[in-house]
Amino acid sequence: MAQLQITVNGVAYQHEVEPRLLLAQYLRDVLGLTGTNIGCDTSQCGACTVLLDGVAVKSCTVLALQANGSQVTTIEALKTNGNYHPLQQAFWDNHGLQCGFCTSGMILTAVDLLKRNPNPTEEEIRRGIEGNICRCTGYQNIVKAIQAAAAQMR
Amino acid sequence: MATQIIGSTVKRREDPRLITGNGTYTDNMTLPRMAYLTILRSPHAHARIKKIDASKARAMPGVLAVYTGNDLKNGGVNPIPVGWVLPDIKIGPHYPLALDTARYTGDGIAAVVAIDRFTAQDALDLIDVDYEPLPVVVNAEKATQPGAPQLHPEAANNIAFYWKIGGGDVERALAEADGVIKQRLINQRLIPNAIEPRAALADYQPATGQLTLYNTNQNPHIIRLLLALVLGQPEHKLRIASPDVGGGFGSKIYLYADEVIACFASKQLGRPVKWTEERTENYKATIHGRDHVSDVQIAYKKDGTITGLKVKTYANQGAYLSVFAPLVPTFLYGPMLQGPYTIPNVFVEVYGTNTNTTPVDAYRGAGRPEATYLLERMVDLVALELKMDPADVRRKNIIPPFLNGVYQTCMAYAYDSGDYAGNLERALTNAGYVELRKQQAEARKQGKVVGIGISTYTEITGAAPAQVAASLGAAAALVESALVRVFPLGKVQVMTGSHAHGQGHETTFAQIVADQLGLEVEDVEVVHGDTDRIPYGAGTYGSRSQAVGGAAIYVATQRVIEKGKKLAAHMLEAAEADLVFEDGKYSVKGVPSKAVKFTDVALEAYWPRKVPADVELGLEATAVFNPSNFTFPDGTHVAMVEVDPDTGKVTITKYVCVDDVGKVINPMIVEGQIHGGIVQGVGQALWEGAVYDDNGQLLSGSMMDYALPIASYFPKFETSRNETPSPVNPLGAKGAGEAGTVASTAAVANAVMDALKPFGVKHIDMPLTSEKVWRAMNGKL
Amino acid sequence: MIPPRFEYHAATSVMEAVGVLGQHKDAKILAGGHSILPAMKLRLAQPATLVDIGRIKELSRIIADANGTTIGAMTTHAMIAASNDIRQRLPALSKAAELIGDQQVRNRGTIGGSIAHADPAADYPAVLLALGAEMHAIQITGSRTIRASDFFVDLMTTALKSNELLVDVRIPALAPRSGSAYVKFPQPASRFALVGVCACVTLDDKGVCAKASIGITGACASARRATATESALLGKKLDAAIIQAAAAQAASGMDCLSDIHASAEYRAHLVTVMTARAIQAAVARVM
Ligand SMILES: Cc1cc2nc3c(=O)[nH]c(=O)nc-3n(C[C@H](O)[C@H](O)[C@H](O)COP(=O)(O)OP(=O)(O)OC[C@H]3O[C@@H](n4cnc5c(N)ncnc54)[C@H](O)[C@@H]3O)c2cc1C
Ligand code: FES
Ligand code: FES
């Protein structure tokens, strides 16, 4: 067991954890933040994507202890003061989700993408979400949603 | 206003919870004293289980129980039944944990229940099993041959069923044809890959005998029925709740061993037990799709008229027959081989065979993608042989418009309505087909390898007319129920037996009701996925939700309106027959000022002031919709591809489609279904494929090795629709969930073959990987 | 999804890390975790101890000087892909980093982890071989420099000893009139390299090839140079025909891998195609 100090969505936590506890499991099972989903065990699907110190990471491939002292942002914190994040709004407006299981990861990946590239082309968006698999939407409306959010955020 | 809700884009009401991380997926749920279940699966595809020693696992701190197949059997657990019983079918019993023989690598050997996930996982390593490996067969055709390893004593030569259907006289057609093409076509095995793995949380209350199963499932009522049979748990003390489900695509229709074990364990231990599938486990333990080997003969005349089609298919069923498996390569496949064409003579025979592989069942499209792919490839081969434009061969054979009637095929089905020929032309026009052919000719001159593919399809949805289904082997009625309940202040709850896991029912079903009652969509709440809240249901698969589930809601809403009319008549002191209901108001015909609002009627229904005592109060109605026929969506998809001549890599450069899914409730949602369907179908054409080695080990065993489509593999699709309402249900809906998948595989495969025409290549089997295409171009097949 | 149990040490300095590494049997470095954690989740790797070097600041930096570029072992793929210095000086490396996995993987995975792991389909090894990189490794008793050509030994096997920590990678500056390029043919599921080729060419003032080095990854058990191709380029003006002819030899003598994604024959073919493309692109970059 080891000490973990971590700030998740602005709240500081301290827990004794097993070293093998993955960040995704910590968020889901320990903190009850189940908006972060787990869709695979080989780091492909991206459903578990969260922001770790501001950048998108696959939380199933990070030990909770590797995030010791870090700031984590999950989907639960994206809506602020009752307002959806422009990406959340755009996913809703543009039917960027169906079953919703990939959505948290998609949105957080897109947050990272738009931070690095506020004005991406369609191709850059399609490449930017290569680490996120959606089996439902065929991606077209996800791309549209990210384009719409980018325009909104610029 | 009101009448425009159906057919208009309404933003989805399920989204606010899903975009904020508040989805209620099964694995998100935690109950007090919840224990965790893991399952040890066989490392061998076929082996006798000589001995299981679980003593070390049982002794591990935190382990609550370890069960074997015999523990379950002795505890009264029955095999998982097959829900579609064909005549003469041979069913090898499928026990939730193997008794003495493991028949595929997903077969459960033992189950561990422990106080946390980690312990449950670690304990698996402590179970010692002594296996005696047995010979393995993975190929559906080889399994039937003499000397092949036998899986079940019940099924001689591993043939679980032999089935055939036909119309006309195909032998005569073959004999009298100007030409006959013979081709073997392989429709490879696919892994569904709903992004949410399966999960089950069983909660048995010893004090009341009540068992609740939270489960990733597309049809909770059917699961209740099956689970009651398997566990002996009475159905009135069994609740199945499927909360948010992260995609299904068919893979979450069935009762699986895992949830049976979770329920058994919860009953044994008197505490909640949760099981969550891992993805690599999902690849072995959750059903696969397709896996056909077909020998095809197509007969044609010189002018391109197709006169006959004869097909023999080996359909791999895997190690056990999954719940609806026998339906898929039979009634959803065979009779659909006439497709959108006037082919008068068709004969299909199917061997459903057991092999040492994961069971195969309905995966998005289920039978129709197999049929469409087969037929569309053959049509292109006829065009190639006759040096005709593939579009012209289709024009020659396509069924003419039958907007207000049925088209009787040469086999069982009568198509409900459609303008197949018109949709073919629309798609070709939208794609700029003539121009594309010019571009292709130009590109070829420059050494480019470019192809155009067409896929014209019709498929079968809207299951099912119950009596017809029963006569075909259905063990459960596939009708759908709805309960529309109006509350005193005029808000409405709709209980539907359909289940949404991405399809947006909470929105479209609310649209149906709001539209009729003259309410806002926000006034209507749709409840699904809970057997304790919904009278009955058959669930969501086969693109049936609107055509059957939506129709039930429509009928129930009409009944509510009729019921309200009785109350309104008293309120307005008018004769019921003189009332009309429009825009949310009952009014006296010709006296619009004499009116009462629906919401006021709702209040009266619970708080009567004017209604006399002998009138039934309350305002709700149920309906069970049993359609008179199936529905048959259709359309044409056109794809253009470019092949890298050096590497064989295929890039899709254009994709255009026209679909007729019947009357559309919400165009945004239908378009989303088509997009997703196209990508799944193209996945099969170009990348996806489950590959076993000869020992029955799944080589494509994880997402590292099974290539799923990602965003960068696609251009923007140009979709459009042409609505011909189905006469089969009051909404006119046909079904949109699978159309994209049914069509797109063949469109892209045909485009690649078209690209390879200058290389003298007629056919290669999917997936059309870079290597295969490169080999084909270089005569290295 | 659940790794086996292990001991965890978060090292705060290089010496502390090698200290722990030296003391514990079966200890492994944890860098970005994007190779080792997936393996542990499937229980394909079961180290008894993980030494996390993620907090050692000096391991995560890019230093460019007149003679070359030094990249700390903990530098992420994303940092490399985003570095202007690297884009300008070592475009092949920049491209390789940009093509690794996906953004999330690039945000965590490190160059040190990638090359220490030595996946046969990893991208960097081709580049490091072609660019003549040197690896700097340290253990409790001292440090040493290993040339790329000696580093990649076999499938998942490098010259690193189990008690050694890779500290950084040094890539010499390209000679004047040089160009480098990396091209990749990804495996469609994992998007690792089915074949990846890095070419680096130096031309004299007459446009004749004075130096050529070509690194190939993905094709066989470990990355290697295409020496026959290199020799075929030397002393020639690199027109299309020369490049094609030289690239045709790129797979000669290679014992290519065969799996469900590609046969050995197809991999060998891709090696020749990608080699030609890499050389073309490298030549186009010569200024
Ligand atoms: C989904 C996915 C896609 C990927 N796609 C690609 C791709 O396209 N191309 C590609 O090249 N890679 C790819 N990778 C691998 C990725 O680049 C990894 O990040 C990299 O291989 C390992 O780096 P790491 O920092 O994560 O190392 P870790 O996983 O932490 O470590 C890997 C191994 O190296 C050892 N090690 C790490 N650092 C050191 C050190 N400084 N000294 C000594 N030993 C050390 C560890 O002990 C371990 O054995 C992919 C990974 C994933 C999960
Ligand atoms: S769950 Fe993390 S990438 Fe799939
Ligand atoms: S919306 Fe279902 S996986 Fe993306």
Side-chain angles (χ1 to χ4, degrees):
Chain A
M1 287 296 210
Q3 272 290 330
L4 172 69
Q5 289 189 355
I6 191 168
T7 303
V8 180
N9 299 336
V11 182
Y13 296 94
Q14 195 162 357
H15 280 106
E16 283 274 310
V17 300
E18 259 204 72
R20 59 175 164 165
L21 185 72
L22 300 168
L23 180 58
Q25 293 163 336
Y26 174 73
L27 295 169
R28 291 177 55 79
D29 293 351
V30 180
L31 299 187
L33 293 171
T34 52
T36 301
N37 292 320
I38 296 176
C40 73
D41 45 12
T42 52
S43 316
Q44 250 79 35
C45 77
C48 63
T49 302
V50 302
L51 300 179
L52 177 59
D53 294 326
V55 301
V57 304
K58 292 177 171 176
S59 64
C60 71
T61 316
V62 178
L63 298 176
L65 287 172
Q66 283 179 290
N68 197 10
S70 291
Q71 303 265 350
V72 175
T73 305
T74 70
I75 190 72
E76 283 92 346
L78 238 49
K79 186 176 177 187
T80 46
N81 304 324
N83 298 319
Y84 292 115
H85 185 282
L87 275 158
Q88 290 175 311
Q89 186 68 46
F91 269 65
W92 190 14
D93 293 347
N94 293 285
H95 192 27
L97 60 147
Q98 290 180 22
C99 79
F101 203 75
C102 70
T103 309
S104 309
M106 279 289 180
I107 289 179
L108 289 161
T109 302
V111 169
D112 180 315
L113 170 69
L114 295 184
K115 203 160 26 167
R116 282 178 294 106
N117 181 359
N119 194 6
T121 62
E122 174 174 345
E123 199 193 326
E124 285 167 339
I125 293 173
R126 286 184 182 268
R127 280 222 49 208
I129 56 172
E130 274 184 340
N132 297 74
I133 296 172
C134 175
R135 194 61 158 163
C136 298
T137 63
Y139 302 105
Q140 187 148 319
N141 288 339
I142 291 177
V143 173
K144 200 164 139 199
I146 297 173
Q147 284 170 324
Q152 173 72 32
M153 287 161 74
R154 276 196 294 273
Chain B
M1 47 145 254
T3 45
Q4 284 157 13
I5 300 179
I6 286 186
S8 63
T9 283
V10 174
K11 274 166 55 180
R12 294 209 322 169
R13 311 173 67 214
E14 31 281 271
D15 289 5
R17 69 174 185 274
L18 300 175
I19 56 176
T20 54
N22 289 297
T24 57
Y25 307 104
T26 300
D27 186 53
N28 294 357
M29 236 171 297
T30 304
L31 293 174
R33 292 182 71 240
M34 186 170 84
Y36 292 82
L37 168 71
T38 52
I39 292 165
L40 181 72
R41 298 187 192 273
S42 174
H44 303 284
H46 201 189
R48 186 137 14 258
I49 304 162
K50 288 163 71 182
K51 190 166 167 245
I52 303 174
D53 179 0
S55 53
K56 274 182 275 173
R58 288 202 175 93
M60 184 173 168
V63 171
L64 299 170
V66 180
Y67 302 114
T68 64
N70 284 309
D71 294 334
L72 264 61
K73 188 170 182 233
N74 298 336
V77 177
N78 298 310
I80 298 171
V82 174
W84 201 280
V85 184
L86 299 168
D88 247 356
I89 194 165
K90 308 287 191 294
I91 302 172
H94 182 193
Y95 284 93
L97 290 173
L99 297 183
D100 51 12
T101 308
R103 294 184 177 83
Y104 73 113
T105 58
D107 232 346
I109 304 299
V112 171
V113 186
I115 54 170
D116 62 65
R117 285 188 207 267
F118 288 8
T119 308
Q121 185 70 36
D122 291 346
L124 291 181
D125 293 344
L126 300 182
I127 301 174
D128 288 324
V129 187
D130 190 3
Y131 295 102
E132 177 194 331
L134 297 171
V136 168
V137 63
V138 298
N139 177 286
E141 184 185 17
K142 285 187 187 148
T144 63
Q145 288 164 359
Q150 297 294 299
L151 271 81
H152 300 281
E154 292 81 2
N157 300 318
N158 298 311
I159 298 171
F161 57 85
Y162 170 78
W163 178 92
K164 60 183 190 220
I165 196 166
D169 183 348
V170 86
E171 295 305 335
R172 191 162 153 197
L174 290 169
E176 294 177 356
D178 291 343
V180 172
I181 298 171
K182 291 186 187 175
Q183 180 67 47
R184 167 161 280 214
L185 294 172
I186 293 174
N187 199 294
Q188 83 274 28
R189 180 181 277 251
L190 301 178
I191 302 181
N193 274 294
I195 296 301
E196 178 201 27
R198 289 185 296 117
L201 169 54
D203 180 19
Y204 182 72
Q205 298 292 331
T208 58
Q210 174 75 28
L211 174 64
T212 302
L213 173 69
Y214 303 93
N215 188 207
T216 48
N217 199 274
Q218 303 178 212
N219 51 346
H221 289 86
I222 301 240
I223 295 303
R224 183 177 67 186
L225 187 81
L226 294 168
L227 201 53
L229 296 171
V230 173
L231 278 180
Q233 170 76 14
E235 58 183 344
H236 63 302
K237 285 181 172 293
L238 179 55
R239 171 182 168 226
I240 314 293
S242 296
D244 282 327
V245 172
F249 315 113
S251 71
K252 294 171 180 169
I253 297 174
Y254 326 101
L255 178 68
Y256 284 92
D258 316 285
E259 43 258 28
V260 174
I261 303 166
C263 289
F264 175 82
S266 181
K267 285 182 86 166
Q268 292 282 313
L269 299 169
R271 59 194 288 176
V273 173
K274 178 152 90 176
W275 171 78
T276 308
E277 188 180 51
E278 314 230 307
R279 176 61 58 187
T280 42
E281 188 178 23
N282 169 277
Y283 274 29
K284 291 178 191 159
T286 294
I287 63 103
H288 292 174
R290 321 272 192 264
D291 204 346
H292 286 194
V293 177
S294 298
D295 288 313
V296 189
Q297 297 183 62
I298 192 163
Y300 56 91
K301 291 211 200 105
K302 276 200 208 90
D303 67 353
T305 306
I306 296 168
T307 53
L309 183 75
K310 186 177 178 191
V311 181
K312 174 177 176 179
T313 295
Y314 291 93
N316 200 334
Q317 302 294 292
Y320 303 97
L321 289 176
S322 172
V323 174
F324 288 118
L327 165 67
V328 179
T330 55
F331 292 102
L332 295 183
Y333 167 71
M336 293 315 294
L337 280 164
Q338 185 178 332
Y341 305 117
T342 54
I343 311 172
N345 308 296
V346 182
F347 175 79
V348 192
E349 58 182 340
V350 179
Y351 291 87
T353 67
N354 290 122
T355 63
N356 298 111
T357 61
T358 295
V360 174
D361 206 325
Y363 163 61
R364 199 173 194 169
R368 296 95 81 201
E370 294 91 317
T372 301
Y373 173 76
L374 184 151
L375 191 53
E376 291 304 282
R377 279 301 304 128
M378 295 310 293
V379 169
D380 266 27
L381 288 175
V382 170
L384 190 66
E385 198 60 42
L386 292 174
K387 300 193 170 56
M388 281 176 75
D389 187 318
D392 290 334
V393 178
R394 288 178 171 79
R395 286 182 175 121
K396 190 101 215 156
N397 292 285
I398 201 150
I399 295 169
F402 56 107
L403 298 179
N404 299 310
V406 294
Y407 179 87
Q408 180 60 51
T409 69
C410 78
M411 288 171 285
Y413 299 139
Y415 297 158
D416 60 339
S417 73
D419 180 12
Y420 303 175
N423 292 340
L424 169 63
E425 295 307 330
R426 280 180 196 96
L428 294 173
T429 306
N430 292 0
Y433 185 70
V434 176
E435 182 54 32
L436 290 187
R437 286 287 177 204
K438 282 188 199 142
Q439 284 175 22
Q440 179 188 36
E442 202 47 47
R444 278 185 172 155
K445 275 187 213 146
Q446 295 163 22
K448 292 192 176 163
V449 184
V450 172
I452 301 160
I454 306 170
S455 168
T456 299
Y457 72 97
T458 181
E459 60 140 340
I460 180 168
T461 57
Q467 289 72 12
V468 178
S471 75
L472 304 180
L478 302 182
V479 298
E480 197 51 272
S481 86
L483 163 58
V484 174
R485 176 173 291 157
V486 184
F487 293 136
L489 300 181
K491 304 290 187 206
V492 182
Q493 249 182 8
V494 180
M495 327 292 162
T496 172
S498 291
H499 184 273
H501 31 281
Q503 298 88 338
H505 294 167
E506 290 167 41
T507 308
T508 52
F509 287 172
Q511 285 179 260
I512 294 171
V513 175
D515 190 297
Q516 291 172 81
L517 296 181
L519 300 172
E520 299 299 328
V521 172
E522 292 69 36
D523 297 330
V524 184
E525 196 68 23
V526 175
V527 178
H528 64 91
D530 188 337
T531 57
D532 271 10
R533 296 183 71 187
I534 295 140
Y536 195 69
T540 288
Y541 39 82
S543 306
R544 66 191 296 275
S545 287
Q546 286 305 345
V548 193
I553 291 168
Y554 180 92
V555 174
T557 309
Q558 287 299 317
R559 288 183 184 158
V560 164
I561 292 171
E562 286 310 305
K563 208 162 173 188
K565 199 182 256 182
K566 286 200 177 63
L567 305 171
H570 290 286
M571 293 167 77
L572 292 169
E573 290 165 351
E576 216 183 306
D578 291 340
L579 296 191
V580 286
F581 184 69
E582 251 172 29
D583 290 347
K585 281 195 292 265
Y586 293 96
S587 59
V588 179
K589 245 177 259 168
V591 197
S593 61
K594 217 173 161 205
V596 55
K597 284 196 300 203
F598 179 75
T599 44
D600 294 334
V601 174
L603 188 61
E604 184 77 21
Y606 293 94
W607 188 9
R609 283 153 296 178
K610 295 210 164 147
V611 174
D614 61 341
V615 173
E616 191 189 76
L617 295 176
L619 193 52
E620 66 176 56
T622 56
V624 175
F625 190 73
N626 182 6
S628 59
N629 188 5
F630 295 92
T631 48
F632 297 86
D634 75 278
T636 294
H637 288 217
V638 180
M640 190 163 185
V641 300
E642 180 162 355
V643 177
D644 179 340
D646 296 335
T647 64
K649 183 173 175 160
V650 176
T651 305
I652 303 168
T653 53
K654 193 176 178 72
Y655 199 100
V656 179
C657 62
V658 175
D659 297 284
D660 177 5
V661 299
K663 182 94 180 95
V664 167
I665 314 288
N666 184 329
M668 174 191 81
I669 285 179
V670 165
E671 197 174 303
Q673 290 294 313
I674 299 290
H675 290 165
I678 292 171
V679 163
Q680 254 169 332
V682 175
Q684 169 164 30
L686 297 182
W687 308 289
E688 296 183 36
V691 182
Y692 286 97
D693 69 11
D694 289 343
N695 296 319
Q697 297 295 331
L698 184 62
L699 299 179
S700 54
S702 79
M703 285 184 177
M704 295 277 280
D705 291 307
Y706 184 93
L708 289 165
I710 55 173
S712 57
Y713 294 174
F714 294 92
K716 197 180 273 158
F717 310 128
E718 301 163 44
T719 61
S720 61
R721 284 184 314 279
N722 173 40
E723 296 181 20
T724 62
S726 171
V728 169
N729 61 70
L731 291 171
K734 291 180 180 172
E738 294 162 296
T741 308
V742 170
S744 69
T745 309
V748 169
N750 280 345
V752 175
M753 292 323 146
D754 185 53
L756 297 182
K757 201 161 113 180
F759 298 85
V761 177
K762 290 187 175 165
H763 176 77
I764 44 178
D765 286 316
M766 302 182 293
L768 302 169
T769 60
S770 306
E771 173 162 2
K772 268 196 213 157
V773 172
W774 170 77
R775 285 189 175 279
M777 285 191 295
N778 290 281
K780 288 171 180 283
L781 282 172
Chain C
M1 186 71 196
I2 297 176
R5 275 211 182 81
F6 56 87
E7 294 271 320
Y8 173 84
H9 289 268
T12 51
S13 72
V14 168
M15 286 328 284
E16 184 190 342
V18 290
V20 180
L21 205 53
Q23 281 154 24
H24 289 73
K25 227 178 79 172
D26 203 11
K28 280 266 187 192
I29 295 289
L30 174 65
H34 271 52
S35 287
I36 196 163
L37 292 178
M40 289 170 67
K41 287 199 292 183
L42 299 178
R43 302 202 168 196
L44 301 172
Q46 316 220 345
T49 303
L50 283 184
V51 187
D52 186 351
I53 57 170
R55 288 186 172 70
I56 308 175
K57 284 261 158 21
E58 71 261 30
L59 287 181
S60 157
R61 61 183 175 193
I62 299 166
I63 300 168
D65 58 39
N67 299 323
T69 309
T70 302
I71 304 171
M74 267 307 298
T75 309
T76 63
H77 313 324
M79 288 168 69
I80 293 172
S83 159
N84 281 327
D85 274 336
I86 292 185
R87 192 171 311 121
Q88 279 155 24
R89 296 161 153 244
L90 305 168
L93 182 66
S94 180
K95 192 69 182 178
E98 184 193 315
L99 293 179
I100 290 176
D102 52 63
Q103 187 60 44
Q104 295 97 306
V105 169
R106 294 191 290 273
N107 284 342
R108 288 297 291 175
T110 67
I111 187 166
S114 172
I115 61 184
H117 192 64
D119 190 300
D123 291 294
Y124 289 133
V127 180
L128 300 183
L129 277 171
L131 300 186
E134 290 179 336
M135 326 299 176
H136 179 204
I138 190 166
Q139 57 172 296
I140 203 82
T141 52
S143 68
R144 62 174 177 142
T145 298
I146 311 166
R147 292 201 315 234
S149 50
D150 299 325
F151 188 85
F152 300 105
V153 176
D154 203 347
L155 192 82
M156 319 294 254
T157 312
T158 69
L160 281 179
K161 303 208 181 78
S162 64
N163 60 353
E164 270 183 322
L165 175 82
L166 178 67
V167 177
D168 56 41
V169 179
R170 169 96 182 151
I171 302 165
L174 301 191
R177 295 190 51 75
S178 295
S180 75
Y182 179 71
V183 295
K184 171 176 184 175
F185 193 91
Q187 191 256 64
S190 73
R191 293 188 314 290
F192 274 76
L194 207 50
V195 166
V197 179
C198 179
C200 182
V201 294
T202 308
L203 307 184
D204 66 15
D205 29 344
K206 297 193 193 68
V208 170
C209 179
K211 186 165 177 280
S213 54
I214 290 158
I216 294 174
T217 191
C220 38
S222 69
R224 65 194 54 192
R225 295 268 293 267
T227 44
T229 301
E230 293 170 0
S231 324
L233 295 172
L234 282 180
K236 309 253 170 63
K237 284 216 167 190
L238 302 186
D239 61 25
I242 295 284
I243 291 175
Q244 281 303 333
Q249 304 178 49
S252 68
M254 249 187 202
D255 193 5
C256 285
L257 298 169
S258 183
D259 57 26
I260 59 168
H261 302 293
S263 66
E265 183 187 8
Y266 183 59
R267 273 197 172 83
H269 170 72
L270 285 181
V271 165
T272 63
V273 173
M274 295 295 125
T275 299
R277 289 180 185 180
I279 299 169
Q280 296 279 12
V283 169
R285 283 211 181 109
V286 175
M287 292 191 287

